[in-house]
Amino acid sequence: MLEKVIRELIEAEGPMRLDRYMALCVDHYYRTHDPFADFITAPEASQVFGELIGVWCVTAWRAMGSPAAFNLIELGPGNGTLMSDILRAAKPILPAAHIHLVESSPRLQEIQCGKLSATWHDSLSAVPEGPAILIANEFFDALPIRQFEQREGKWHERVMGLVQGNLQIGLVPTEFKGEGDLVEISPARQSVGAEIAARLSRHPGFALIIDYGHAKSAAGDTLQAVRAHKFVPITESPGVCDITSHVDFEALAGNFLNSAMLSQRDFLHAMGLEQRTAALVAKNPAQRDTLHRAMSRLADEAQMGKLFKVLAAGSPKLALPYPFTEP
Ligand code: SAH
């Protein structure tokens, strides 16, 4: 049980930073659980999501000068559904593409292995250098964060402690100073962002990062735990529920010299969500309602359309592919 391990660590070493708590929980969760029993991601909701990203990849490859060989990298591929849908729609680039999947969960690696022929890695730094297109959907939200809180003019870090034997969030003094009353930072996200940016500066390439979060940095607690499609306290059953937080896209975009962002709604509409859905309905009229529900789920503002952002980044001298405007 992860909970026992965490209790013992706190008893031995004192309160635990939230990024460590989150990393332990997320790692255990993906090693031991089927995440899609707890939440549904865009590629699991509709094949159209991955197909439109596949079309985007073809445009991106052409914008890179149609290299004869390049790395098609995905971070956190889950069930492998997104990459399968991308490949089906991106036929022109298949002969050139070397597929590299970055996945820390052996359990999910095995599921991906059943669907895809690729090379697997534990981290992006292990992926070979070269021209690349990198995709990450709902990967950054799972990377750990730290939280700082201002109380009576003094800054504290929020940490996981034990109060009468129960996991509880407490405060310890810190040197950190921020703006607002509660500030989240994610050194782990910044380091992956910086690694992607460094690769884009060394070789031609593009990255497409999709996640829920805010376009502008803002104060507030966004740490959340989900189990069986419901929010639960983050102290509940560590490693048994999915813990994430909203991605600060302004901070992430700060890593890139050449980037632009759209809402998921605007991105998918520009890529032809309605046309692709209509084509599928024409082939499968009995599936009409299901396909329309999936389209709403991906793009309606009250569903994933507005909260989810699509950040495109490119090598400094390359124009970002449609539908992202040039910097
Ligand atoms: N992209 C998929 C899955 C999202 S769930 C989809 O959209 O359906 C998050 C994925 O990231 C899982 O595959 C999980 O195992 C992986 N993951 C989480 N943290 C990771 C880390 N630090 N390193 C590598 N993979 C990680």
Side-chain angles (χ1 to χ4, degrees):
M1 270 269 286
L2 179 67
E3 179 154 2
K4 187 164 172 282
V5 174
I6 289 178
R7 281 168 185 282
E8 285 168 2
L9 281 169
I10 296 173
E11 274 161 12
E13 298 171 11
M16 181 183 281
R17 261 167 48 178
L18 289 184
D19 55 346
R20 183 163 182 216
Y21 178 78
M22 194 174 165
L24 287 169
C25 290
V26 169
D27 186 70
H28 184 82
Y29 175 76
Y30 283 106
R31 278 174 197 279
T32 51
H33 285 75
D34 168 16
F36 304 105
D38 293 313
F39 59 90
I40 296 292
T41 57
E44 299 298 325
S46 167
Q47 67 182 80
V48 178
F49 182 77
E51 289 170 350
L52 297 177
I53 292 177
V55 172
W56 187 84
C57 287
V58 178
T59 320
W61 176 72
R62 295 207 173 107
M64 288 157 64
S66 310
F70 76 101
N71 294 325
L72 180 54
I73 306 168
E74 187 181 357
L75 308 182
N79 270 352
T81 309
L82 175 57
M83 186 54 83
S84 307
D85 293 338
I86 287 175
L87 296 178
R88 203 173 50 251
K91 294 259 153 58
I93 66 175
L94 296 191
H98 294 269
I99 297 158
H100 293 275
L101 304 177
V102 175
E103 174 59 69
S104 55
S105 156
R107 194 185 156 278
L108 287 173
Q109 271 194 19
E110 204 171 299
I111 292 174
Q112 294 153 17
C113 204
K115 289 188 190 160
L116 297 161
S117 69
T119 311
W120 277 265
H121 308 272
D122 284 338
S123 72
L124 176 59
S125 49
V127 176
E129 291 281 329
I133 298 175
L134 178 145
I135 309 291
N137 185 60
E138 291 207 39
F139 170 77
F140 280 87
D141 64 75
L143 299 183
I145 63 162
R146 299 172 68 178
Q147 287 188 329
F148 299 90
E149 194 176 325
Q150 184 172 210
R151 284 245 183 116
E152 287 151 13
K154 289 204 174 62
W155 280 94
H156 306 269
E157 176 150 17
R158 301 184 90 214
V159 288
M160 191 60 74
L162 280 171
V163 177
Q164 288 167 349
N166 295 318
L167 289 174
Q168 195 172 305
I169 290 183
L171 300 176
V172 295
T174 175
E175 298 286 301
F176 177 92
K177 286 187 176 45
E179 269 176 43
D181 290 332
L182 197 146
V183 170
E184 297 180 335
I185 63 163
S186 179
R189 285 177 196 157
Q190 289 303 88
S191 108
V192 179
E195 160 99 41
I196 296 172
R199 282 171 178 258
L200 292 177
S201 70
R202 289 194 293 261
H203 309 277
F206 293 103
L208 196 69
I209 297 168
I210 307 137
D211 226 306
Y212 46 96
H214 30 284
K216 290 260 164 246
S217 301
D221 176 10
T222 73
L223 201 56
Q224 61 184 45
V226 168
R227 188 175 186 182
H229 308 278
K230 291 201 174 66
F231 289 111
V232 295
I234 64 155
T235 46
E236 187 174 299
S237 316
V240 177
C241 43
D242 179 51
I243 298 191
T244 60
S245 82
H246 287 208
V247 174
D248 178 346
F249 273 95
E250 185 179 351
L252 188 58
N255 289 291
F256 304 109
L257 294 169
N258 177 16
S259 74
M261 195 174 353
L262 291 169
S263 66
Q264 178 162 303
R265 176 183 184 282
D266 290 347
F267 173 75
L268 292 177
H269 278 299
M271 292 304 299
L273 176 64
E274 278 166 23
Q275 294 83 336
R276 180 64 190 139
T277 300
L280 288 174
V281 169
K283 269 199 252 167
N284 299 293
Q287 290 290 306
R288 186 178 178 281
D289 288 351
T290 311
L291 289 160
H292 281 190
R293 263 199 308 277
M295 177 164 74
S296 302
R297 180 171 194 135
L298 295 182
D300 279 6
E301 295 208 336
Q303 301 199 54
M304 300 175 89
K306 196 170 160 195
L307 178 61
F308 280 72
K309 313 288 187 294
V310 185
L311 173 68
S315 296
K317 285 188 186 133
L318 296 180
L320 294 173
Y322 176 88
F324 298 93
T325 46
E326 291 174 42

